[in-house]
Amino acid sequence: MIVVGNSNVACLDGVGARLVVQETPADVSWVGALRFRHFYDGHPAGPRVRERFRFGTSGDPRPRLLAIGTHDIFDVGAAVDAGTVEAAIQDLSTRASRFFAEFGAAAVEWGGPVGWIVFPQPSTALAFQRLSPDEVLAMATKVNQHLSELARAHRVMVIDAFDQLGGARVDPGYLQRDAQHLNARGAARLVAAIAGRFNLSAELMVDRAAGAEPEDELGSFCAMLLHAANIAPAPLVDPTLAVETAVEERLREKGLAGSVAVTSDLELVDSGLFDSLDLVDVYTEATRAVGLDIPFDVSLRDLGTPRAFAATIAAHFETPSRADFEVSLAAARRRIPPSAADQAHDRIARLPPERIEAFVEQLRVTLHGVGCPYGAVLMWLGLFARARGDHATAMRHFEAAARVPIPVPIEVASHVASPVGLNGRRTREGRSHVGRRSPLASG
């Protein structure tokens, strides 16, 4: 199954959970604040969806699900305030009908079904001058009903797990702490609806505790951005300990407990101790113990020893981990002193170039034509720029981080910028010339 769309799809591959269909992990992609007009106005999100769905190909019968509409409804609410709602509805209808026609026609080429997911509309996500939260919900219901009619007219299935077409208000128990996106419980209900609609076996595999659930818009955006850049969480336990424990457990199950000393260099295959199924069990248990979504793009027989197993698993936890970004966010929220995040910021600056490229590309698509409103994200971009020696760009990011709608406190931005200084110059003490004359301090 391929699932593409707005931030709502993160509940199917993120926050410690993953959608598995017919025993195969689904291909889930977040492209940003997707709108129907993005398929026809030159926005990079449209081509990204077509690329992920593999438009122009044939013979790939996997079901394809699209999450879209939430941000279109936000736009309709803004049009109500502006007195242009009739034009906004007409434009939305034209573009949605055009895309659903294209989506439905492509399903014939793919040889598999396609569907549109109606996600719960967060009635308090944005404030409108002329609409109360109840009126936002009523407006969302009408728009979703209209979109569902257009979808069905073009052979696109509609998945409505929370009766949004009927105007139901979603139970807060299904939502994350940000009150906008589905938590694991809500995602499981959605997965059950998907399984029933497509008559497939589907389940939500929870690999880690959902303790890192985003608490607000900033947390949600950053979590999805880090996920898109494939930045892993810190391991829950040491990979070596996890592997050796899994090996000992497997030996016990085979009746060999105590007869074989488990060391890092124990030959698991050449010694005849383990066969392929044993290796799969060890790998599965070890990856679950460290809190890693199980990546099977590896030849287990080529590993051979607990040391090789542990090194392969540890490679998925490259510096920095998500824990470093969470520490940075804690400083940005004034929950810890700026200096308490110094080591985390040093590790963030060492993010591998390919991860930085994925980070920046996702940001480019998500915020196409719009300035980044998140100070923490700008601060990280500053760290990346400083690491490659581009001090002027780094300072621009650090300065902007304290001025955007969701800013980093001035003292945090100044502290993080201080190793660079306004012109990359340092004082004798190793601190930069950031003070009253700094653009940071004048914000």
Side-chain angles (χ1 to χ4, degrees):
M1 180 173 287
I2 306 174
V3 186
V4 183
N6 57 35
S7 60
N8 288 297
V9 303
C11 74
L12 301 176
D13 188 12
V15 196
R18 170 172 289 185
L19 171 61
V20 175
V21 180
Q22 304 290 84
E23 301 183 353
T24 301
D27 180 353
V28 180
S29 297
W30 163 61
V31 295
L34 185 65
R35 293 164 165 87
F36 281 102
R37 59 181 168 82
H38 290 165
F39 292 103
Y40 308 106
D41 65 359
H43 194 290
R48 177 72 70 87
V49 173
R50 288 191 171 90
E51 175 189 347
R52 300 306 299 151
F53 275 149
R54 297 170 178 83
F55 273 84
T57 65
S58 62
D60 182 355
R62 285 180 292 174
R64 289 158 167 82
L65 294 178
L66 178 69
I68 191 171
T70 300
H71 296 278
D72 290 286
I73 292 173
F74 289 160
D75 291 345
V76 172
V80 171
D81 280 351
T84 58
V85 65
E86 292 185 7
I89 291 292
Q90 181 59 47
D91 183 68
L92 173 59
S93 297
T94 300
R95 296 178 190 274
S97 181
R98 181 179 176 185
F99 179 77
F100 280 137
E102 183 181 357
F103 198 30
V108 178
E109 296 295 322
W110 293 323
V114 296
W116 169 54
I117 306 177
V118 187
F119 274 96
Q121 186 73 23
S123 58
T124 59
L126 292 178
F128 301 105
Q129 294 179 358
R130 300 186 181 182
L131 295 171
S132 67
D134 287 340
E135 289 170 328
V136 170
L137 181 60
M139 175 193 68
T141 301
K142 291 181 180 179
V143 173
N144 281 329
Q145 288 172 342
H146 180 57
L147 292 176
S148 71
E149 293 170 0
L150 297 176
R152 293 187 176 106
H154 295 291
R155 304 182 303 280
V156 176
M157 295 182 181
V158 177
I159 296 91
D160 179 19
F162 295 91
D163 193 24
Q164 293 300 282
L165 299 180
R169 188 180 297 278
V170 66
D171 184 339
Y174 289 118
L175 300 176
Q176 296 176 9
R177 289 186 295 167
D178 65 6
Q180 297 186 38
H181 300 93
L182 296 180
N183 58 20
R185 180 181 171 220
R189 175 166 168 168
L190 172 62
V191 169
I194 292 172
R197 193 72 179 87
F198 288 101
N199 194 27
L200 295 168
S201 65
E203 59 181 327
L204 191 71
M205 302 295 293
V206 179
D207 298 305
R208 294 183 297 277
E213 195 175 280
E215 63 182 78
D216 55 17
E217 178 186 354
L218 171 63
S220 295
F221 184 84
C222 291
M224 290 182 290
L225 193 59
L226 297 178
H227 185 71
N230 197 27
I231 298 171
L236 298 177
V237 299
D238 179 72
T240 298
L241 175 62
V243 171
E244 293 183 359
T245 299
V247 169
E248 291 174 349
E249 176 62 20
R250 191 60 178 163
L251 289 172
R252 185 189 65 77
E253 293 174 356
K254 294 169 71 70
L256 299 174
S259 62
V260 179
V262 178
T263 66
S264 294
D265 295 314
L266 174 66
E267 289 291 342
L268 302 176
V269 179
D270 292 346
S271 64
L273 287 173
F274 285 175
D275 58 20
S276 296
L277 291 178
D278 295 323
L279 295 178
V280 171
D281 283 344
V282 168
Y283 189 65
T284 300
E285 290 305 313
T287 52
R288 285 177 175 170
V290 299
L292 181 67
D293 293 338
I294 304 174
F296 276 108
D297 54 344
V298 60
S299 175
L300 298 182
R301 280 189 170 275
D302 290 342
L303 301 181
T305 66
R307 185 189 305 278
F309 266 84
T312 298
I313 293 173
H316 289 274
F317 296 98
E318 297 178 19
T319 298
S321 71
R322 289 194 198 181
D324 293 310
F325 289 91
E326 289 166 4
V327 169
S328 178
L329 282 175
R333 299 181 192 276
R334 286 195 173 102
R335 292 175 182 170
I336 61 174
S339 59
D342 284 349
Q343 290 185 347
H345 287 143
D346 285 343
R347 287 189 287 267
I348 289 171
R350 296 197 297 270
L351 188 69
E354 65 276 10
R355 300 290 176 85
I356 293 177
E357 183 178 350
F359 184 103
V360 172
E361 173 62 14
Q362 182 65 60
L363 197 61
R364 182 188 72 83
V365 173
T366 304
L367 299 176
H368 177 67
V370 179
C372 180
Y374 306 101
V377 174
L378 289 168
M379 188 168 64
W380 300 336
L381 292 176
L383 290 169
F384 301 154
R386 182 171 69 191
R388 66 174 183 266
D390 187 350
H391 300 305
T393 297
M395 283 306 299
R396 284 198 298 271
H397 286 313
F398 291 141
E399 291 165 7
R403 297 174 174 169
V404 291
I406 304 178
V408 167
I410 184 67
E411 65 271 18
V412 177
S414 294
H415 180 85
V416 176
S418 60
V420 180
L422 294 179
N423 296 300
R425 295 180 288 109
R426 300 172 183 266
T427 64
R428 291 181 181 178
E429 293 78 18
R431 306 297 289 178
S432 66
H433 300 280
V434 176
R436 287 183 299 171
R437 296 183 181 179
S438 167
L440 284 177
S442 65

